[in-house]
Amino acid sequence: MKILVTSALPYANGDIHLGHLAGAYLPADIYVRYQRLKGRDVIHIGGTDEHGVPITVLAEAQKKSPQEIVDHYHQSIKKSFIDFGMTFDNFSRTTLPLHYRLAQDFFMKIYDKGYIYTKQIEQYYCPNCQRFLPDRYIIGKCPKCAVDGAKGDQCESCGSWLEPFDLIEPRCLICKKIPEKKKTKHWYFKLSAFQDKLNAWIGTKEHWKENVLTFVRGWLKEGLEDRPITRDMAWGVPVPLDEAKGKVLYVWFDAPIGYISSTIEWAEKKGQPDLWKDYWLNKETKLVHFIGKDNIVFHALIWPAMLMAYEDYILPSEIPANQFLTLEGEKLSTSKGYAIWLPDYLKQFPADSLRYTLTRNAPEMRDADFTWRDFQAWHNNELADIFGNFINRTLTFINKYYNASVPRASNYAENDNRILDILKSAPQLIGEKIEQFEFKNGLLEIMKIVQEGNRYFDSEKPWATFESEPLKCERTMHICMKIVTSLAVLLEPYLPFTVQKIRKMINFTPQNWNEIAEPKVAPRIGSTEILFGKIDDEIINREIAKLKQEEINIEDFKKVILKTAKILAAEFVPNSKNLIKCKIEVDNKTRQIVAGIGKYYKPDELIGKTIIFVDNLKPAKIKGVLSEGMLLAAEAKEGVILLTTDKPIASGAVIK
Ligand SMILES: [Zn+2]
Ligand SMILES: [Zn+2]
């Protein structure tokens, strides 16, 4: 059997964040790594989705071409995937000529079969820009919540889904002029024609995850409607018909075809250009699409209907879609910048800690919440204290007591056999979880083995038996090494970087998943290192603070009263090199404030300067000295610089 795994094509208008990883990518990678260890014929296909309006909107905002935008994000996404340990057999992009040809062929074939028809519709047109405006190019007041700035497809303020004509006082996003309604022709895919076929097909998928089935059945029950597959814009795959000049394929239509074009590219790169057919045209292939919840309708209904219309290609076998991940209790939002971006994460923390945390708390059946505190706790208490500790105590013991040579063992006792039995059944038990897309349960089973290992080490007391019962001690340590060796395979899908380190430390030649039921232990171990250091509170607090940088509204800001003041006198606070006590003049009165600028200013330099300060701050004592306000200063790498006024002004002037 061949296994063709795809993970949702990430949209090339931004970096990958934790929600994406938890939804589709990490599960896909765990699955393919496991299948490879099983020795199966599996390929993992991916790439970036590079068409569509969000990309052109971003390009226009940044005064760049769409191509520049997608070139940048394709590289950036590809790099952070590699750094996160994602293993793709091919990571392509939908702007390749090969993809254009394939998408156009797809269109033409189902067009010729009569599954595509045209329809006149009215759409907004901007006479100033001389172009039709896709949904997201129209802004206006939301009909539901009245907030201005809602887009033609959705109001981000209240979350309502909208149609462009719903907007009150619509404007063109680019030039802000009022658009007019104009007739245009679009091509529609006859999705409704596949209602019965899809119904029957979904009927054969009773084993699918409940969250996916519920969603799909809901859509089928409502009845499927035909969908437009063209758009009036320049960025995209041109519709291959003479009468469709200036129109491109809608991004949802061309993107999934990217799975096929990426597989073709993979085969070409391998120098076996027909090899892709063994997967896509082979009824024995198991096609698995890893996606997030927001993609279910496309992958479980529309895409299969497209494939049914085309006829030659296989249909999806499995669509193990995950639910959403929230972040500190709130929805992630790319547009609001509320997310943890993978490149930022990787600058500070190990990839495996995130792989562990996101799987430990995977949104497999329901939404899950990522918090930095959980991350810290799981890293410190489970990866470092339980897992890292077991590996470390075993290897350290063998280094110290046996000079790095792994003791042999015979005549196992009951407790030893109990552990061997656990190891024996582990590949089957954990493998089943992974095959059923229960990645979290698979990981928890492995962690149970680690805990058994620690308990075994504690109860066998090798540090005591080394002198009193040397044979028993040898057995104990041999068994512990078997556990370590077994973990160096079982954990590879989950913690690939850590497993590499362990394998080096124990001189391990990889075994396949099934063989690890009876792990072969190397005669000697190499030098060892601590696998997981602790992450301390300070670092976590900083990450939380970064996220909580909330937007405030004008009313909040107006509460802060800022005024000018003149510094009359200044001196260091006793026993401090940084705190300066200033006497300032405001509204013909004097006041005292304490400022932490002593590293950058001498008290004498300050006297006579006009500063900006917060007038209505609650008085507080700093190092025992009263401070009735706070001066403003700008901080950068170069140091701290006081804010002052552009021209001389009286003390007590209110900053507006
Ligand atoms: Zn609204
Ligand atoms: Zn315009």
Side-chain angles (χ1 to χ4, degrees):
M1 180 182 59
K2 292 181 187 301
I3 307 172
L4 174 56
V5 175
T6 72
S7 44
L9 304 185
Y11 204 57
N13 72 334
D15 278 312
I16 295 293
H17 61 52
L18 265 51
H20 302 131
L21 294 175
Y25 302 109
L26 181 54
D29 192 58
I30 294 169
Y31 187 75
V32 294
R33 281 175 179 274
Y34 161 79
Q35 296 292 0
R36 287 190 203 113
L37 281 166
K38 289 284 280 186
R40 292 188 179 139
D41 183 345
V42 59
I43 53 172
H44 186 193
I45 294 298
T48 37
D49 176 0
E50 305 192 347
H51 295 130
V53 170
I55 283 162
T56 58
V57 170
L58 185 67
E60 262 160 283
Q62 296 193 355
K63 309 238 176 311
K64 286 183 181 154
S65 68
Q67 190 66 51
E68 285 175 293
I69 296 286
V70 299
D71 285 350
H72 170 78
Y73 282 112
H74 173 76
Q75 284 310 329
S76 158
I77 289 170
K78 194 172 170 179
K79 181 179 182 308
S80 53
F81 271 159
I82 291 170
D83 294 345
F84 186 62
M86 294 288 302
T87 47
F88 286 100
D89 290 275
N90 196 52
F91 194 74
S92 189
R93 40 199 310 196
T94 59
T95 48
L96 295 185
L98 158 71
H99 175 75
Y100 276 52
R101 281 199 304 276
L102 199 74
Q104 288 176 334
D105 161 74
F106 210 109
F107 177 93
M108 281 315 296
K109 187 154 174 195
I110 62 177
Y111 176 84
D112 288 340
K113 288 187 176 184
Y115 293 120
I116 293 174
Y117 63 93
T118 59
K119 197 160 111 181
Q120 286 273 353
I121 56 160
E122 275 202 318
Q123 208 180 331
Y124 274 130
Y125 178 87
C126 176
N128 187 46
C129 300
Q130 299 195 321
R131 64 196 259 181
F132 279 99
L133 300 174
D135 302 353
R136 292 203 193 181
Y137 272 86
I138 303 149
I139 50 170
K141 278 190 188 153
C142 170
K144 307 262 162 70
C145 74
V147 158
D148 202 3
K151 302 226 168 84
D153 60 345
Q154 195 191 3
C155 169
E156 286 200 356
S157 189
C158 68
S160 309
W161 293 101
L162 304 171
E163 297 285 336
F165 294 156
D166 295 342
L167 289 176
I168 300 158
E169 297 171 24
R171 283 152 357 250
C172 165
L173 177 76
I174 307 301
C175 68
K176 312 287 184 261
K177 299 246 158 64
I178 297 166
E180 56 194 37
K181 288 180 185 176
K182 202 172 162 179
K183 283 215 155 77
T184 180
K185 188 161 83 172
H186 278 296
W187 279 254
Y188 278 69
F189 175 53
K190 264 192 210 170
L191 183 61
S192 59
F194 295 91
Q195 172 89 31
D196 294 342
K197 263 189 154 177
L198 285 168
N199 244 326
W201 178 67
I202 289 294
T204 67
K205 304 294 180 191
E206 294 293 325
H207 64 285
W208 278 10
K209 287 168 70 169
E210 205 47 49
N211 61 326
V212 178
L213 284 178
T214 308
F215 199 91
V216 168
R217 287 185 186 129
W219 273 71
L220 285 170
K221 206 173 155 201
E222 274 198 20
L224 300 174
E225 283 178 30
D226 298 345
R227 294 178 72 104
I229 56 172
T230 57
R231 272 185 176 253
D232 290 295
M233 59 191 289
W235 182 247
V237 179
V239 178
L241 294 170
D242 287 341
E243 74 260 42
K245 253 201 148 61
K247 300 192 194 272
V248 297
L249 297 177
Y250 216 138
V251 64
W252 68 256
F253 185 85
D254 94 76
I257 299 168
Y259 297 139
I260 306 174
S261 54
S262 181
T263 316
I264 296 175
E265 192 194 29
W266 165 79
E268 285 177 354
K269 282 185 190 162
K270 280 182 84 86
Q272 295 170 267
D274 283 337
L275 196 56
W276 68 275
K277 293 179 186 165
D278 288 359
Y279 294 85
W280 279 102
L281 305 181
N282 175 357
K283 295 271 177 279
E284 298 303 306
T285 299
K286 181 169 169 174
L287 172 58
V288 186
H289 291 311
F290 282 91
I291 54 165
K293 171 161 83 172
D294 48 340
N295 262 323
I296 293 175
V297 60
F298 290 105
H299 285 76
L301 292 172
I302 301 174
W303 171 234
M306 286 167 64
L307 292 166
M308 286 169 180
Y310 192 95
E311 276 181 320
D312 298 349
Y313 301 122
I314 51 168
L315 295 177
S317 318
E318 303 288 340
I319 305 178
N322 269 355
Q323 298 293 99
F324 283 144
L325 185 78
T326 53
L327 174 57
E328 302 279 353
E330 293 188 41
K331 216 178 133 197
L332 283 97
S333 163
T334 304
S335 57
K336 288 180 189 152
Y338 186 74
I340 299 169
W341 306 98
L342 184 54
D344 293 340
Y345 169 89
L346 290 169
K347 270 182 218 146
Q348 297 203 65
F349 305 103
D352 278 355
S353 303
L354 187 58
R355 291 177 71 107
Y356 183 83
T357 312
L358 291 180
T359 309
R360 176 78 173 71
N361 184 34
E364 284 172 2
M365 300 309 287
R366 60 194 68 82
D367 291 355
D369 189 38
F370 177 94
T371 74
W372 277 112
R373 295 259 175 255
D374 289 343
F375 170 79
Q376 182 193 23
W378 284 327
H379 173 98
N380 287 352
N381 305 342
E382 297 183 6
L383 284 176
D385 283 350
I386 298 175
F387 172 57
N389 177 47
F390 175 70
I391 307 287
N392 187 53
R393 70 200 295 203
T394 300
L395 301 188
T396 308
F397 194 97
I398 289 171
N399 260 326
K400 191 171 156 193
Y401 289 85
Y402 296 106
N403 202 15
S405 93
V406 179
R408 292 175 172 280
S410 53
N411 298 325
Y412 291 126
E414 196 188 324
N415 211 13
D416 306 328
N417 280 322
R418 199 177 62 82
I419 297 290
L420 290 176
D421 285 346
I422 291 172
L423 296 185
K424 203 170 209 166
S425 58
Q428 172 82 15
L429 176 71
I430 295 151
E432 272 169 17
K433 303 283 180 216
I434 295 178
E435 306 229 9
Q436 288 158 10
F437 310 110
E438 294 177 25
F439 303 110
K440 175 182 169 176
N441 286 337
L443 181 63
L444 294 178
E445 288 297 338
I446 300 175
M447 287 308 283
K448 276 190 209 160
I449 298 175
V450 179
Q451 276 166 325
E452 285 289 349
N454 273 320
R455 271 197 289 272
Y456 173 75
F457 196 106
D458 291 339
S459 69
E460 299 300 298
K461 300 186 176 56
W463 59 90
T465 59
F466 183 75
E467 294 289 347
S468 60
E469 293 174 84
L471 281 178
K472 178 171 178 185
C473 184
E474 286 175 12
R475 278 202 318 265
T476 306
M477 293 321 295
H478 188 83
I479 299 269
C480 284
M481 276 306 294
K482 276 190 184 289
I483 303 175
V484 174
T485 308
S486 164
L487 292 172
V489 172
L490 298 176
L491 271 172
E492 202 249 12
Y494 294 99
L495 308 176
F497 296 99
T498 308
V499 157
Q500 283 309 323
K501 286 187 197 164
I502 298 174
R503 288 177 179 183
K504 228 174 126 192
M505 296 194 293
I506 64 173
N507 290 318
F508 172 74
T509 346
Q511 274 169 288
N512 114 346
W513 185 270
N514 299 334
E515 286 171 41
I516 204 66
E518 288 175 38
K520 290 184 194 72
V521 173
R524 286 190 65 80
I525 61 169
S527 56
T528 61
E529 58 171 310
I530 298 287
L531 292 172
F532 296 97
K534 292 284 179 84
I535 296 174
D536 56 29
D537 288 345
E538 202 184 313
I539 292 172
I540 292 301
N541 289 342
R542 204 174 55 217
E543 292 305 317
I544 294 170
K546 261 196 239 167
L547 275 181
K548 298 272 148 95
Q549 266 193 8
E550 290 169 28
E551 284 179 14
I552 58 167
N553 57 35
I554 186 77
E555 277 66 37
D556 292 334
F557 182 69
K558 276 182 179 162
K559 287 182 196 158
V560 181
I561 299 172
L562 298 171
K563 283 183 180 173
T564 61
K566 189 178 257 171
I567 300 182
L568 302 175
E571 61 181 38
F572 274 114
V573 168
N575 300 323
S576 173
K577 288 196 173 98
N578 191 36
L579 293 178
I580 297 181
K581 182 170 82 179
C582 303
K583 192 188 269 181
I584 59 172
E585 179 199 62
V586 203
D587 303 329
N588 298 319
K589 286 181 205 123
T590 60
R591 257 206 250 178
Q592 174 171 299
I593 61 170
V594 175
I597 54 173
K599 284 185 191 145
Y600 305 96
Y601 287 91
K602 294 196 190 84
D604 285 354
E605 288 177 74
L606 296 172
I607 296 169
K609 279 201 194 307
T610 297
I611 55 160
I612 316 281
F613 88 111
V614 184
D615 185 40
N616 58 336
L617 198 66
K618 235 183 221 163
K621 284 203 167 166
I622 303 174
K623 280 222 166 173
V625 182
L626 182 71
S627 184
E628 306 163 294
M630 182 178 83
L631 63 72
L632 299 192
E635 187 176 11
K637 274 202 293 283
E638 301 84 328
V640 169
I641 295 172
L642 270 189
L643 295 195
T644 180
T645 56
D646 181 35
K647 288 181 191 149
I649 188 165
S651 290
V654 176
I655 315 289
K656 297 268 182 192

